[in-house]
Amino acid sequence: MAPSTKLFLVLLGLNLMVTTVHGSCEPHCPTPTPPSPPSTNGGSCPIDTLKLRVCANVLNLLKLGLGVPLSERCCPLLAGLADLDAAVCLCTAIKVKVLGVINLNVPVDLVLLLNHCHKTCPPGFTCPH
């Protein structure tokens, strides 16, 4: 048998297999769904960002290694939020410079402040741009 004939028969066989497999599920073939894009962050901030100014003092004290007074008002603002929402709020405050912190190392400072308020930075979380 000539090589071109063998190739033709192989391709014909593959075509029949694909047609048979695809045609066997009619009329109830599953509709393929495109994969959803990975969620970058999700979350939302239900707090007025300007209220988060009080977190700047807490962050500055934490960075200096000083004690934070028990009367601080940052953590109570974040207390009722899920970890992701708290992270988004702090990122929003950083983005609009409400925290007004100079030389901000966003990932480190974000984790530091979240940890202080007994929140956990979600794995892989980055501040939205």
Side-chain angles (χ1 to χ4, degrees), residues 38-45 84-85 87-89 125-126 128:
S39 170
T40 43
N41 293 321
S44 62
C45 183
L84 178 60
D85 292 338
V88 169
C89 284
F125 178 83
T126 56

Side-chain angles (χ1 to χ4, degrees), residues 50-114:
L50 293 176
K51 291 181 180 178
L52 292 171
R53 275 188 216 183
V54 297
C55 295
N57 295 336
V58 172
L59 183 56
N60 285 328
L61 290 172
L62 289 172
K63 288 174 81 170
L64 294 173
L66 302 174
V68 179
L70 294 176
S71 62
E72 62 95 358
R73 295 177 292 163
C74 178
C75 294
L77 282 173
L78 304 175
L81 301 178
D83 291 347
L84 178 60
D85 292 338
V88 169
C89 284
L90 292 174
C91 286
T92 304
I94 291 167
K95 188 167 124 181
V96 295
K97 299 187 172 130
V98 169
L99 296 185
V101 181
I102 300 172
N103 297 326
L104 193 66
N105 183 343
V106 175
V108 172
D109 292 345
L110 179 68
V111 170
L112 187 65
L113 194 50
L114 286 170

